[in-house]
Each structure stands twice: as C-alpha cells, then as structure tokens.
Amino acid sequence: MKPTQLLAILLLAIACPLAAAQAQNVYTVTPASPQPDAAALKPGLSVKYAYPGDVKSLHEAEGWRSYGPKAGPPLIGFDYADTLPEEKALTSDSVNYVVAFINGYMKFDKPGAYQLEFHSNDGLRVKISGVQVFEYDGRHPCEPGQRATVQVPEAGWYPVEALFFQRVGTSCMLLNWAPPGEAWDWAPLEIYGYIEE
C-alpha cells in the first residue's frame, strides 16, 4: 500500500465518526450557574412580541429584537398545538405576522442524553445554555424538524431562549422528547420556568 493511500484511509477513519456525530446533532449543555432560586421561578416561559408585517425567515425576525418588542402573557412552554385559522399565535395579540422572543429555563431531572424533537409553524430556533440545538426556518406547516440529542451533565435548571415567527394561517410550537431510558412523549409543563423582570 502506498503512503498516500494509507494517509487517505486514516483521514477517512477520522472523518467518519465526526460526520456521524454531526449527523446525529449531539449537543452538550451546561446548567445555569448559579441555579435560579426556586421561589423566584414562575411556571412557563417569558415572551416578548413584535408585529412587523411580512417576515419570511428567522434572520428577518431576529432583526426586530432591536425595535423594542413588548412583553406578552407568559407561555406555558413549548406546548402550543396547531391552531385553527382564526386563533391567535401563542399568547400574542395576532393571528398573523408575529415574532416572539422567548426566554426562561428548562429543568432536566437527571443527567444523560435527552432526545428532543421540536415542532413549529413557522420558523423556530432554540438555544439551551447558549448552544443552538434546533432550527427550522421558513414557512411550513406544523411539523417536526430534525431531532437533536442533548447531553445533560447534571440535573438542574438550564437557560433556554428561542426565536419564533408566524407568517400567515395556522401556527404551532411543540416539544416531543425522550429523557434517558424513557419513551417518547410530549414534554411536561413542569419543566419550564422563568423569572419575572
């Protein structure tokens, strides 16, 4: 075997596990430090809304952060099933053309690998501990994006932030998950918390 062939095989052996890990979307997150005071936490997630008109991408939606979005009623979590055509998006004041800036915490009760599957209609980007674990951009019906594996080093509260936009028609934002050693199910509302500003 020629040295160049051996080098190519070695490079391929190194690249394949890296590619496989990327394909599985494995992310490691870190707990909030310090942990939030349990007495200060309220159930759900805080949200601020902007009503910019026709937004077609998360990039466009992000641009509205600097325009002073207004606080809305808190969300119960990532738990909003597909609406009827005339129902308002999330807890906003509008059916259409909504941008939501979401913040709070998610509680993971034990360490290990959590499988996460977010559903959205339309665009959704989610970060846990500042690590982007999900993004599904553009206009689409209520459907799941690519699954992610989130490695949780220890039990506790983890900061979460999300960007969501709804263009026209129906909307949804959901989380299906499988904690370590458990079956897939909709994430319970008890895992969400936020601190009032």
Side-chain angles (χ1 to χ4, degrees), residues 23-191:
Q24 293 173 12
N25 293 325
V26 179
Y27 307 98
T28 299
V29 296
T30 54
S33 181
Q35 284 283 289
D37 179 6
L41 280 172
K42 296 185 175 296
L45 297 168
S46 69
V47 62
K48 292 182 178 178
Y49 290 109
Y51 303 98
D54 198 1
V55 168
K56 298 178 183 175
S57 71
L58 289 165
H59 176 74
E60 290 180 24
E62 180 62 44
W64 286 89
R65 190 181 297 273
S66 61
Y67 283 84
K70 304 297 182 192
L75 304 175
I76 57 174
F78 293 101
D79 195 38
Y80 288 84
D82 209 17
T83 59
L84 296 172
E86 298 306 314
E87 290 181 312
K88 294 176 181 177
L90 308 180
T91 60
S92 76
D93 292 331
S94 181
V95 174
N96 301 317
Y97 308 126
V98 175
V99 172
F101 301 96
I102 300 162
N103 284 282
Y105 297 91
M106 286 177 64
K107 188 177 184 184
F108 296 96
D109 285 333
K110 57 186 174 183
Y114 287 73
Q115 306 295 318
L116 304 183
E117 182 182 67
F118 290 91
H119 299 231
S120 70
N121 173 5
D122 289 304
L124 178 65
R125 176 187 298 141
V126 180
K127 295 180 180 179
I128 300 175
S129 306
V131 178
Q132 184 174 306
V133 300
F134 178 82
E135 180 171 302
Y136 191 1
D137 204 355
R139 259 189 94 192
H140 50 264
C142 186
E143 61 190 13
Q146 196 164 18
R147 288 179 177 176
T149 299
V150 174
Q151 293 285 353
V152 172
E154 59 187 79
W157 290 97
Y158 287 69
V160 62
E161 64 176 294
L163 172 64
F164 167 90
F165 80 87
Q166 156 62 10
R167 189 166 176 263
V168 295
T170 61
S171 65
C172 82
M173 188 179 70
L174 296 158
L175 173 57
N176 194 19
W177 78 344
E182 298 182 29
W184 283 93
D185 200 357
W186 298 110
L189 298 181
E190 293 76 22
I191 70 168

